[in-house]
Every structure is written in C-alpha cells, then in structure tokens.
Amino acid sequence: MSYDDVEIEDMEWNEELQAYTYPCPCGDFFEITKEDLKLGEEIARCPGCSLYITVIYNMEDFAGEPDRKSNKGLDSSKQNSIAVA
Amino acid sequence: MEDYEEEEKQEIWSWGAGTEGQLGTGKLQDEYSPQLLHLLLPSSAGPIFMLACGGAHVIALTSGGKVLSWGRGTSGQLGHGDTVNSPHPKPVMLSDSCFITHVSAGWNHSGFVSDKGSLFTCGDGSFGQLGHGNNKSHSSPVKVSYFINKHVEQIACGMRHSLVLLKGSCGDRVYAFGSGKRGQLGVSKGRVNSVNLPEATCRLEDAKIVSIAANGDHSAALSADGNFYTWGRGFNGTSDAFSPRYIPALLCFTEVALGWNHALLLTGDGEAFMLGGNHHGVLTNPNKLLSSVKHLQDSNEANLERVPCLEGKKVVHIAAGSEHSTLITEDGVIKTWGWGEHGQLGLGNTSDQTLPQAVSLGRDVGEEEAAAPKIKVYCGSGFTIVVITSLRRPHQRLFECSNSVVPE
C-alpha cells in the first residue's frame, strides 16, 4: 500500500543522490532517479524502511531529456526511436 | 534558582530511528527499547526545560535559556554554523546575551524565540519556511526581521512551513510562512504555493489563541477557552482546509499534538482524543488498513475518537510523531501506539500497534523519588524522547553530593 501520492513538482532534486526525494515519516527520504522516471517507474522507495510513495508525473517530461532535443510537433507523423544511454 | 536546580534530578530516555544521531546515544542506529542517555550538557545551562524533535534532529532548551541540538544537520537545522550531523549535543550559535524561551524543530528547519520576543530561524529555507523573504538556507540562527517590532511568543515548525504566535490578546496573532500548497498557512481562501515572508493567518482574529502546532502539512491552534482549530492537509482523506476550521466538540482542549496524518488532543479533564487515525498502527499491514478504511468510508468528515484502553486513567500529556503517538497517564505510565518499524514505540520490537501499550524503562518511575516525577514526552518523525524530572529525597541528595563539589 502506497503511503502517499506525491506530485513530482513537490519532490526535491538531490544532486548528491542524483535523485528526486520527498520526506519519509521515518526521518529518511523517499528517492527516485531520473532513469527510473524515464522507464515509467512511479514508485519512490525509502532506503531506510518498508514504506514507498507513488510519484505523479508525465512520463513524456522525462522521456527525451537529456540525451536529445525534443521533437515536438513531429511525433504524430514520425515515430521517435527510444534513446538508450 | 541554584537551590532549585540542585534538588532536581533529570533522566532522559530515547528510542526509535537513530541513524542520523537523533537519539543522542552517540550511536548511529535504531533502538527498539528505551536507552538512558548520558548527555553532556553544560552545568551552567541548568536542567532541560523543553525539547523539540524534528524530522531527524533534536533541540534542547535549558531552564537557563540556553539551547543545544543534535541529530541531522545537513540543511543547517542544528544551528551549529555547519551542515553536518552531530550525534552529541552542541550549543546552537546564538548570542550569549540571548535568553531563549521557546523552540521548535520542523522536518529540516528550526525556530528559537527569545524572552525579548525575537524569532530566530535556521536550516532548510527552500520553501520560505525561515521567513526571511527569500528561499535561502542558513546554518546558524538568523533573526526574522519581520517581527522586529512585535513580540513573538511561540514558534511551530512543520515539514515545510512555520507558524508564529505573537504575544497579546487581540488582533492578528498567528502568522505563517513557507509551503502553503495544502492550505497549511491559512493565509487566504485560495491556494498559495509558498510565501517567504510572514503573513497573518485568517479567521483567527477573534479567538484568543494560546498555543499553536505544526507537523507534516498540518497546522493547528488552541484558544484560551479550549477550542480547537485546524487547517492544511485534510485528515483521513478529507479535503484540505485553506483557512482555520473550528472543530466543534463539547470539550475543552488543553493540548494538541500533530502527526503527518493524525492529531492528538487532550482535554482539561484528562481525556485523550484522536482525529484522523484510520492509518494509525496499520502502516505495515495493508489488510488491517482495508478494514479500517471500510469502517470510516461513509463519513466524509474526519471524526474525533476517544483513545481507548486507558483503563479509566486520566491522561496528563500527549505527543505525536509522524505516524506514532505517545501519552503519559496520571500514574506516570508512558504509553505508545502507531507505526513501530523503527522501534519508535519503545516496546522492544518493530511491530505496529493500534492501541496504546505501556513502555517499560526497566524500573518503576517514581520508586526512589520523594514526590511524583514530572514526565514529558517528545516525538520526532520516527523517534521518541522522554524527560523525567524528579525531586531528590534529602538523604539521597546528600549521598550524591558527596561525590561532587557543590558550592554552598
């Protein structure tokens, strides 16, 4: 059972962890990386306990960056290949 | 003053999440049972007057108006002038002439009120929760200039917001700043993302507020006549309140404690109530949760429910962590319930509890003391600290004094 639903804009980017974080009631932080988000993962876990939250975000916001420029307006006519790092 | 201090004996016990040093044990590990602390506090500071426990840090205010802190310091919330954790108490960088009368610890920020009515804040400021007119963080306390001509009485720090209570009996007395997304600032009827300068909380002008509380995205206040107001994130999945809501009850409340999803209330008659506790004590057991949600789903409003299983004993004090609860009964028993994964219930295990359970300190409190000890309990997000203050018996005092130099 997800502890809470949290919008990505309410999470904070942690440079050191290279992850978005949100406070966990245990005192630690729920974490999710950009790579996870790119893959469509929506569960952010706390490394210190069993709780997790559901992250609300648009996958498209993370799909392209930072590997290539967005091809907005072209996606209907042209299928974009998925960039793999 | 000095005579008074000599007669007091203080014991401090802690348990729960401890990996950031917040338990004050000197070890960076969780403790499932109460640990007696051997804190090195400067003797000139006097005994502990109050504690404030945040996400993973602790602020200790002594009766001499001095402040020490320990635990997580990565956002500067310890006020030590750096951004590192401290497993042991260290003085907060406040001026020597400053006599502090009230403190509060939020998720990653801290507030200090002086006897002159000044407010100082430090720690994470990224949501404006320090009230300095910007979103900067500070590693040592900075005076909040907005209140320079006002007299601050109390500070309450939540996850990403702060509340301030001014001295006086009329007009705007409750101010708020920081994140307001869930309505926790109560500064307007609409949605406010965040403010970094204090703004008056609306709808409380006519109530004589005597205490304020903040935790998670919740805010609360009690009036002199025992009325309870709450705003911010809704309890039990109810809608968020963007301005203070009076919770009607034929009860006179004297204490309020907030968690991240529940509130505890204490009446003048010594009865404890809970608001919004349908997740309480079932976080790690989803099956139990489903049955309790079912039980409550027909009511749209979160209800006050009496805390059960107290065997007719009156409650003298309450405290709430993010997902756990504690209370002290009139006979000096410490009871805990709620989420227990980090040992924050102090019951020797990591189980959740839906009903209050007695915590054992390994001996009877009050056994050796001449008078009933004063027990205060404080909860951080995932940990608990108890301060037991008692008067020594005369012969006991003599015995202990022989081991130390006591000025006559």
Side-chain angles (χ1 to χ4, degrees):
Chain A
M1 181 93 186
S2 173
Y3 177 69
D4 203 357
D5 294 343
V6 176
E7 290 175 28
I8 191 76
E9 64 175 43
D10 290 330
M11 299 186 77
E12 292 180 88
W13 176 250
N14 183 309
E15 198 60 40
E16 204 179 318
L17 295 170
Q18 285 291 303
Y20 288 94
T21 67
Y22 190 79
C24 173
C26 77
D28 208 332
F29 289 87
F30 296 110
E31 302 172 5
I32 193 162
T33 63
K34 268 187 191 155
E35 302 308 310
D36 287 336
L37 294 167
K38 242 186 237 182
L39 295 169
E41 177 62 64
E42 53 178 25
I43 299 298
R45 295 181 186 280
C46 171
C49 69
S50 69
L51 302 185
Y52 57 90
I53 54 169
T54 306
V55 182
I56 316 242
Y57 70 106
N58 286 323
M59 206 179 149
E60 303 86 70
D61 295 347
F62 294 89
E65 65 146 309
D67 306 330
R68 57 183 177 144
K69 284 180 185 167
S70 69
N71 284 330
K72 270 183 189 162
L74 293 175
D75 25 14
S76 56
S77 58
K78 195 175 174 184
Q79 199 160 5
N80 291 329
S81 60
I82 296 166
V84 179
Chain B
M1 187 72 188
E2 231 164 66
D3 280 354
Y4 177 69
E5 283 174 12
E6 279 171 27
E7 288 188 41
E8 276 191 353
K9 187 180 91 168
Q10 233 172 20
E11 269 184 13
I12 304 155
W13 298 77
S14 68
W15 59 86
T19 51
E20 310 268 8
Q22 63 266 56
L23 295 183
T25 53
K27 297 179 206 158
L28 306 178
Q29 64 185 43
D30 294 359
E31 298 289 351
Y32 303 156
S33 301
Q35 304 294 307
L36 181 60
L37 300 187
H38 304 281
L39 297 176
L40 292 171
L41 303 174
S43 56
S44 60
I48 287 174
F49 172 68
M50 72 176 284
L51 295 181
C53 299
H57 70 296
V58 180
I59 305 170
L61 171 60
T62 73
S63 60
K66 297 294 165 212
V67 189
L68 300 110
S69 61
W70 63 92
R72 181 162 63 211
T74 47
S75 298
Q77 62 267 54
L78 297 180
H80 296 167
D82 54 27
T83 53
V84 295
N85 292 0
S86 173
H88 299 289
K90 277 204 240 169
V92 171
M93 291 175 75
L94 286 153
S95 146
D96 277 347
S97 60
C98 220
F99 191 103
I100 298 298
T101 53
H102 195 256
V103 293
S104 181
W107 170 255
N108 266 351
H109 72 293
S110 305
F112 315 88
V113 176
S114 77
D115 61 342
K116 302 275 194 318
S118 297
L119 173 67
F120 302 84
T121 57
C122 65
D124 187 3
S126 45
F127 296 85
Q129 65 267 54
L130 302 187
H132 299 302
N134 56 46
N135 292 8
K136 282 186 195 154
S137 299
H138 289 279
S139 62
S140 57
V142 175
K143 192 187 266 193
V144 180
S145 53
Y146 182 87
F147 295 112
I148 246 162
N149 294 315
K150 298 181 168 72
H151 194 113
V152 175
E153 196 169 277
Q154 286 175 32
I155 169 84
C157 300
M159 187 196 285
R160 293 168 167 179
H161 74 295
S162 306
L163 302 179
V164 163
L165 177 65
L166 297 188
K167 201 173 180 172
S169 57
C170 57
D172 289 328
R173 295 181 53 235
V174 179
Y175 285 77
F177 41 94
S179 172
K181 255 195 117 172
R182 307 301 298 264
Q184 62 265 51
L185 303 182
V187 294
S188 78
K189 281 169 192 141
R191 196 171 158 129
V192 181
N193 259 349
S194 70
V195 300
N196 53 31
L197 276 176
E199 283 190 32
T201 292
C202 56
R203 288 205 197 166
L204 289 173
E205 302 85 355
D206 300 326
K208 182 168 171 23
I209 300 300
V210 290
S211 69
I212 50 172
N215 199 4
D217 295 328
H218 296 297
S219 297
L222 291 179
S223 71
D225 42 2
N227 288 339
F228 169 50
Y229 301 84
T230 179
W231 61 103
R233 187 187 172 113
F235 291 100
N236 276 356
T238 58
S239 58
D240 298 346
F242 286 83
S243 59
R245 253 183 215 165
Y246 165 62
I247 306 298
L250 295 169
L251 296 159
C252 182
F253 296 112
T254 53
E255 265 187 50
V256 57
L258 296 175
W260 286 13
N261 285 296
H262 76 295
L264 287 181
L265 287 144
L266 179 63
T267 69
D269 296 331
E271 286 188 294
F273 290 83
M274 188 189 278
L275 180 68
N278 71 349
H279 288 237
H280 214 60
V282 294
L283 262 188
T284 52
N285 191 338
N287 296 331
K288 277 194 192 172
L289 178 65
L290 289 176
S291 60
S292 65
V293 166
K294 204 173 165 190
H295 165 69
L296 282 158
Q297 77 187 159
D298 10 317
S299 76
N300 210 3
E301 293 233 330
N303 291 320
L304 276 176
E305 290 182 46
R306 191 186 305 266
V307 174
C309 295
L310 299 175
E311 292 137 12
K313 294 276 180 354
K314 285 188 177 181
V315 177
V316 294
H317 179 48
I318 52 171
S322 53
E323 293 290 345
H324 72 292
S325 298
T326 61
L327 58 80
I328 310 290
T329 59
E330 57 187 338
D331 50 351
V333 176
I334 304 158
K335 294 207 168 188
T336 60
W337 73 110
W339 186 38
E341 187 172 345
H342 288 268
Q344 58 265 58
L345 305 185
L347 302 172
N349 57 46
T350 57
S351 303
D352 290 0
Q353 299 290 339
T354 53
L355 300 170
Q357 309 290 319
V359 174
S360 169
L361 297 182
R363 62 163 184 81
D364 282 339
V365 172
E367 207 171 45
E368 309 149 16
E369 287 83 12
K374 194 172 73 187
I375 308 178
K376 283 287 203 183
V377 61
Y378 304 89
C379 294
S381 282
F383 62 103
T384 308
I385 306 189
V386 161
V387 179
I388 302 169
T389 308
S390 50
L391 293 176
R392 299 177 196 200
R393 279 181 175 154
H395 73 267
Q396 202 181 344
R397 197 159 71 233
L398 284 175
F399 174 73
E400 287 184 23
C401 285
S402 67
N403 291 328
S404 56
V405 182
V406 178
E408 275 308 315

